[in-house]
């Protein structure tokens, strides 16, 4: 059993195993968890700052979870840079980084998983079968290992946080879920670890996603169909750009169920988009009030 190692004086404690984690958290006060897949950027910093405000001890988990990637997805090339992540965490005053190996999280085949139900089969779940089972299973394992009082998730992944909130209610998990607003780069593109895949021309095309969401959000006086139409016309133009934006889905959904909002829908809704630019798949969303 190795002792937890700290990368720099006063820096975060970097722990790799459940035993190290338990010892690192022993006797600490209110714990806030920020689950991530690493390649930390400004969006993750927003989450950490929120956790810092609400908890005495902040734990960031860094784990690229194979269970949530499909066979043709980017698991192997997903950006990984633990030393850079440790530096970001040190700057943000994170107390503990939990960065387990795949074999530590999944020592054997994961037979028992958390079923995301019907909500997990819509939008992202339809495009990425099994994705949310993988997400909810790893989040449950992290909750069990860290035992946080609260956990912070980004609204950038709106269906993910909605499902985590629902899981916590449906399975009576003793953790408070805190949502953090989406951080955007100066050009409007939602910050994402996957943005490093984009070259300049692809990035320019990718800006159509946030532009479409803005157009939709400005059309709320035209009702649900008007919102969808305004966003869709931006994306139809972007499909003709070089390189093209290949739309996966554009949907206006009920925020509690992620089922498509009817033409008569009133109240809050989520306008969500997923598209491919070159080989990179991007998602974004905005909350609207109808
Ligand atoms: P990831 O490392 O991409 O799995 O994301 C870890 C957490 O950070 C998730 O809760 C994401 O929703 C959140 N996140 C990712 N990008 C952003 C962003 N641009 N703004 C706010 N939260 C984000």
């Amino acid at each position: 059993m190795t002792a937890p190692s700290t990368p720099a004086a006063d820096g975060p404690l970097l722990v790799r195993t459940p035993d190290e984690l338990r010892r690192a958290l022993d006797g600490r006060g209110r714990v806030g968890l920020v689950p991530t897949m690493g390649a930390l950027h400004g969006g993750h910093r927003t989450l950490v700052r929120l956790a810092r405000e609400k908890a005495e001890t902040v734990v960031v988990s860094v784990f690229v979870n194979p269970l949530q990637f499909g066979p043709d997805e980017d698991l192997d090339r997903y950006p990984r840079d633990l030393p850079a992540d440790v530096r970001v965490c040190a700057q943000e005053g994170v107390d503990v980084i939990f960065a387990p190996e795949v074999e530590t999280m999944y020592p054997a085949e994961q037979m028992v998983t958390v079923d995301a139900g019907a909500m997990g089969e819509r939008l992202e779940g339809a495009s990425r079968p099994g994705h949310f089972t993988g997400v909810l299973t790893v989040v449950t394992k992290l909750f069990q290992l860290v035992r946080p009082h609260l956990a912070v998730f980004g609204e950038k992944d709106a269906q993910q946080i909605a499902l985590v909130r629902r899981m916590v209610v449906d399975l009576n998990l003793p953790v408070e879920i805190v949502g953090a607003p989406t951080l955007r780069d100066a050009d409007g593109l939602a910050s994402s670890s996957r943005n490093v895949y984009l070259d300049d021309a692809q990035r320019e095309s990718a800006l159509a996603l946030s532009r479409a969401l803005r157009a939709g959000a400005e059309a709320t006086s035209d009702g649900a169909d008007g919102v969808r139409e305004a966003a869709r016309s931006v994306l139809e133009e972007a499909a003709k750009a070089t390189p093209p934006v290949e739309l996966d889905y554009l949907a206006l959904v009920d925020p509690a169920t992620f089922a498509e909002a009817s033409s008569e829908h009133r109240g809050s809704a989520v306008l969500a988009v997923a598209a491919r630019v070159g080989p990179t798949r991007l998602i974004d969303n905005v909350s609207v009030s109808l």
Side-chain angles (χ1 to χ4, degrees), residues 35-38 41 43-44 47 78 153-154 156-157 160 181-183 191:
T36 81
M37 297 205 299
H41 53 68
H44 298 113
L47 273 57
Y78 195 85
F153 292 83
K156 156 83 166 41
D157 298 279
Q160 170 173 282
T182 300
L183 183 85
S191 306

Side-chain angles (χ1 to χ4, degrees), residues 193-267:
S193 304
R194 289 190 168 96
N195 291 351
V196 297
Y197 298 151
L198 301 170
D199 64 27
D200 288 351
Q202 289 169 339
R203 187 178 173 107
E204 189 59 35
S205 290
L207 295 180
L209 272 70
S210 53
R211 222 168 37 241
L213 296 178
R214 277 201 306 278
E218 282 163 15
T220 49
S221 57
D222 299 332
D225 292 336
V227 169
R228 278 187 276 253
E229 202 35 57
R232 185 165 297 282
S233 72
V234 173
L235 292 164
E236 278 169 4
E237 276 308 303
K240 298 178 211 149
T242 312
V245 174
E246 299 164 63
L247 186 62
D248 180 351
Y249 61 76
L250 170 71
L252 183 71
V253 297
D254 182 311
T257 63
F258 273 69
E260 196 69 39
S262 73
S263 300
E264 292 75 41
H265 185 89
R266 291 285 172 275

Side-chain angles (χ1 to χ4, degrees), residues 32-131:
L33 170 66
V34 180
T36 81
M37 297 205 299
L40 300 181
H41 53 68
H44 298 113
R45 288 180 192 261
T46 309
L47 273 57
V48 169
R49 287 174 198 172
L50 213 47
R52 238 316 31 108
E53 277 172 30
K54 294 173 181 284
E56 290 157 60
T57 300
V58 175
V59 180
V60 170
S61 61
V62 173
F63 181 61
V64 182
N65 174 34
L67 213 60
Q68 71 188 68
F69 285 76
D72 300 325
E73 295 184 8
D74 58 346
L75 174 63
D76 290 339
R77 73 179 191 123
Y78 195 85
R80 292 165 171 86
D81 190 348
L82 189 57
D85 293 341
V86 171
R87 286 195 293 277
V88 171
C89 289
Q91 287 163 5
E92 296 299 332
V94 169
D95 300 287
V96 177
I97 302 169
F98 178 47
E101 299 290 349
V102 172
E103 297 70 31
T104 305
M105 291 298 277
Y106 301 114
E109 180 198 351
Q110 185 77 19
M111 280 198 188
V112 177
T113 56
V114 181
D115 186 331
M119 201 197 328
E121 287 170 12
R122 297 177 182 138
L123 305 195
E124 280 300 284
S127 298
R128 307 180 66 187
H131 171 67

Side-chain angles (χ1 to χ4, degrees), residues 5 8 19 28 38 66-67 75 98 129 137 142 144 155 167 169 193 199 204 210 217 255 262 272 276 281:
S5 55
D19 277 349
R28 303 258 195 167
L67 213 60
L75 174 63
F98 178 47
T137 300
L142 290 169
Q144 287 301 110
E155 302 288 354
M167 172 176 79
V169 172
S193 304
D199 64 27
E204 189 59 35
S210 53
S262 73
R276 225 169 259 285
R281 188 170 179 281

